[in-house]
Amino acid sequence: MGRKNGNNAVSKFDMQAVAATISTTLVLLLLGMALFSVLAARNLSVYVRENINFSLVLDDGTDQRDILHLQRSLEKQPFVKEMTYVSKEEALKDYVRETGTDPRRFAGFNPLRASLEIRLKSAYVHADSIARLEEQLGQEALVKDVVYRQELVDAVNRNIGRISLLLLGLAALLLLISFALINNTIKLAIYAKRFLIHTMKLVGAPWGFIRRPFLWRNFWTGLFAGLLADAVLWALAGG
């Protein structure tokens, strides 16, 4: 009879440990996926911002050596991610390919100008930063005009801001839920042992002695659940 009760107690203890480990693992998975979402949104925002073209239209007849000097000078600036020189002929080819019409048929010559296409670093793709850069670059002697899509920049920054706030709110909510679930798991484990705790108090056991097995058990449960959640997230991320 004593063996049967002992086996039931061990089985019950094992089931509680398994349930606590599974619930903690699920909570950590939710937090991990929320963190992945925030990081993915950040990487996406950087990618989108750094793929917005910022064109410096050059004067006709500008010497190639002057253009090369300007290009090398600008490439050293902290706001430049990548720079490409587009000649008049390349600009004409791109225009014909995109629109299907050749402006030389109407104008009799190539009206397009050579340009320096700049991709800015994401930290500089904001309305105030671009306004300062536009004023600074417009003062260059070789630059005829500075062209960029202001409405696209505003739309990208506005949408990225909304998505970031939404994901941060979701992460905060999942963090609160995770604390609540872990707290309930610990309370249920303590409640299941309430009679044993009461008996230990009656015989004069100190609180440190009573708490020790619960702390060790939850330590190992958290460690195993963390490793399991990390393995699942690693697998979902593609290893």
Side-chain angles (χ1 to χ4, degrees):
M1 188 70 177
R3 177 182 294 181
K4 184 177 180 180
N5 290 336
N7 290 339
N8 288 339
V10 172
S11 177
K12 186 176 181 180
F13 177 81
D14 291 341
M15 289 304 298
Q16 290 174 355
V18 170
T21 302
I22 292 175
S23 61
T24 306
T25 301
L26 293 176
V27 168
L28 294 176
L29 280 175
L30 287 176
L31 287 176
M33 287 188 287
L35 180 60
F36 275 175
S37 299
V38 172
L39 293 177
R42 179 183 178 277
N43 293 336
L44 179 61
S45 69
V46 170
Y47 175 80
V48 171
R49 283 171 173 166
E50 290 184 348
N51 278 275
I52 297 177
N53 282 338
F54 195 81
S55 301
L56 304 183
V57 181
L58 305 176
D59 270 331
D60 282 337
T62 303
D63 188 79
Q64 290 293 327
R65 288 175 297 179
D66 295 335
I67 295 175
L68 182 60
H69 177 73
L70 176 61
Q71 183 176 358
R72 289 178 176 175
S73 174
L74 291 177
E75 285 176 344
K76 298 177 182 179
Q77 298 298 320
F79 54 83
V80 175
K81 172 69 176 180
E82 184 179 329
M83 178 178 293
T84 306
Y85 171 68
V86 179
S87 65
K88 290 172 60 70
E89 293 73 19
E90 292 172 337
L92 179 62
K93 291 178 181 178
D94 292 339
Y95 183 86
V96 172
R97 183 174 62 253
E98 293 174 2
T99 64
T101 59
D102 189 343
R104 291 177 299 182
R105 296 179 180 178
F106 309 99
F109 63 96
N110 182 5
L112 302 179
R113 297 176 183 267
S115 65
L116 290 174
E117 301 294 328
I118 301 177
R119 288 168 55 188
L120 302 177
K121 293 182 179 179
S122 61
Y124 293 88
V125 186
H126 298 280
D128 52 349
S129 299
I130 289 180
R132 289 195 295 268
L133 292 177
E134 183 179 10
E135 181 180 0
Q136 174 186 343
L137 297 174
Q139 296 175 356
E140 294 287 343
L142 304 182
V143 177
K144 181 70 174 180
D145 194 10
V146 180
V147 179
Y148 66 97
R149 296 182 60 183
Q150 177 67 47
E151 70 282 358
L152 178 60
V153 174
D154 294 339
V156 167
N157 288 324
R158 183 170 58 251
N159 292 331
I160 288 176
R162 291 174 180 174
I163 293 173
S164 299
L165 288 176
L166 178 62
L167 290 177
L168 286 177
L170 179 61
L173 178 62
L174 288 176
L175 185 62
L176 292 176
I177 293 174
S178 67
F179 281 134
L181 288 176
I182 293 175
N183 183 54
N184 289 336
T185 301
I186 295 174
K187 285 183 176 179
L188 288 174
I190 296 175
Y191 180 78
K193 300 292 182 180
R194 64 190 184 281
F195 297 116
L196 177 60
I197 294 173
H198 184 65
T199 302
M200 295 172 71
K201 288 170 60 180
L202 290 177
V203 299
W207 276 111
F209 181 81
I210 296 173
R211 293 191 183 108
R212 189 177 299 116
F214 291 97
L215 292 175
W216 275 110
R217 177 189 175 189
N218 286 292
F219 169 77
W220 289 111
T221 298
L223 179 61
F224 184 74
L227 293 175
L228 187 59
D230 286 341
V232 174
L233 291 173
W234 182 265
L236 291 176

